[in-house]
Amino acid sequence: AMPLFSVPKEVAVGTAMLGVAFATGLLAGKRYPSIVFGAPTPPRSIIGKSSPLWQYILDHSLREHPILKKLRLLTADHPWGRMMVSCDQAQLMANLVKLIKAKKVIEIGVFTGYNTLNMALVLPDNGRVIACDINEDYAKIGKPLWKEAGVEHKIDLRIKPAIQTLDELLAGGEAETFDFAFIDADKESYNEYYEKCLRLVKKGGIIAIDNVLWNGKVLKPRKDDLAAQSIHHLNEKLLRDARVNISMLPMGDGVTLAFKL
């Protein structure tokens, strides 16, 4: 049996709030026929982004820093702009980082750095984000805006395979020193990313795993779709993983929050 009260009060409250959000999502799915798994929707949203309901959510919840908005619009013009974390999801990540008073964050998969900037904005001045990616060209889009927002010193961009960076952190004695991790990179490596982040994150910390619904393909992963298979296997593993408490949220392309016990 898993202990019920082995995480800080702030995290427990946050988990309860997210449970309400998840239940609301399920009720919304019954009320609005378009909100169903497998329905034709944009890759990163269960609620179609052309839906009035989606616009209502943004109009009544999004509090976007002006420089974040600038970076979001720049990214939207990029040919691969759809890879960006949805703005409402990024806001939730930042709220969680702030809720647990995080100082050290790992981000696996940076792209143009929208989510990186979002988290850096809420970290204390001595906080840092270890931002892992293999493509510096994309990050160069966001770097000038990190500087403009005054948080460049909080972001440690490491351009190399993320597994290498995670191994270096572990070898450097940084196990159980991170508060928050965000995983949104190559899906075939998700399990390895998760396991290494679990070693790096302290008890009471959070690991957020993006794209856990993979545009509905997790329902029936094809044999030749290694990404969908990898995500599905990790989803099944997380359900039974006694090292964490979890909430899977129907936000963006699906995000699972794992709270380390």
Side-chain angles (χ1 to χ4, degrees):
M2 291 184 285
L4 294 179
F5 300 100
S6 57
V7 295
K9 182 174 72 175
E10 293 91 342
V11 174
V13 172
T15 307
M17 291 169 62
L18 290 165
V20 173
F22 179 63
T24 303
L26 291 179
L27 291 173
K30 293 178 181 178
R31 184 171 180 182
Y32 299 95
S34 62
I35 311 175
V36 294
F37 297 104
T41 57
R44 300 190 67 86
S45 180
I46 292 170
I47 300 174
K49 290 194 174 181
S50 61
S51 163
L53 185 59
W54 167 253
Q55 191 58 49
Y56 183 90
I57 290 170
L58 296 185
D59 289 346
H60 292 81
S61 68
L62 187 63
R63 299 176 179 180
E64 194 174 39
H65 190 285
I67 299 176
L68 272 173
K69 182 177 181 180
K70 189 187 296 189
L71 180 51
R72 174 169 59 82
L73 294 177
L74 272 175
T75 305
D77 289 335
H78 192 279
W80 291 97
R82 61 187 176 83
M83 292 199 306
M84 185 182 75
V85 175
S86 63
C87 50
D88 58 323
Q89 182 181 325
Q91 180 170 285
L92 174 60
M93 298 305 104
N95 283 338
L96 289 171
V97 166
K98 193 170 184 179
L99 176 73
I100 63 173
K101 299 179 173 62
K103 290 185 178 178
K104 292 178 68 177
V105 173
I106 303 168
E107 182 182 40
I108 302 174
V110 175
F111 192 39
T112 64
Y114 178 85
N115 193 46
T116 319
L117 175 57
N118 215 348
M119 294 188 292
L121 282 166
V122 300
L123 286 174
D125 196 59
N126 64 345
R128 64 172 174 148
V129 181
I130 304 294
C132 308
D133 211 306
I134 56 172
N135 191 320
E136 193 167 13
D137 290 339
Y138 296 151
K140 283 179 179 176
I141 297 171
K143 284 178 80 174
L145 296 176
W146 299 347
K147 186 173 183 178
E148 186 180 341
V151 297
E152 186 181 34
H153 65 287
K154 300 182 190 179
I155 300 169
D156 181 357
L157 179 63
R158 303 198 183 183
I159 303 297
K160 63 178 77 172
I163 293 297
Q164 185 179 336
T165 296
L166 298 176
D167 284 339
E168 288 170 356
L169 293 171
L170 288 166
E174 296 196 56
E176 298 194 338
T177 65
F178 285 84
D179 304 288
F180 189 90
F182 183 79
I183 301 174
D184 183 18
D186 58 298
K187 312 311 169 190
E188 293 85 351
S189 301
Y190 259 32
N191 184 65
E192 198 170 1
Y193 293 147
Y194 169 68
E195 287 295 336
K196 291 184 186 298
C197 284
L198 197 60
R199 292 172 61 191
L200 286 162
V201 168
K202 62 179 67 171
K203 289 182 180 179
I206 302 172
I207 301 172
I209 305 162
D210 198 21
N211 299 119
V212 294
L213 300 179
W214 202 231
N215 199 27
K217 294 177 183 177
V218 290
L219 290 174
K220 292 183 179 179
R222 298 195 321 265
K223 290 183 179 179
D224 62 342
D225 190 343
L226 297 180
Q229 286 189 40
S230 174
I231 294 169
H232 176 60
H233 290 154
L234 181 58
N235 288 342
E236 290 191 323
K237 171 180 173 174
L238 286 167
L239 178 63
R240 299 185 293 270
D241 194 339
R243 299 170 295 176
V244 294
N245 281 336
I246 62 168
S247 287
M248 182 185 282
L249 306 179
M251 173 178 273
D253 191 25
V255 58
T256 291
L257 302 176
F259 302 83
K260 185 174 177 179
L261 299 173

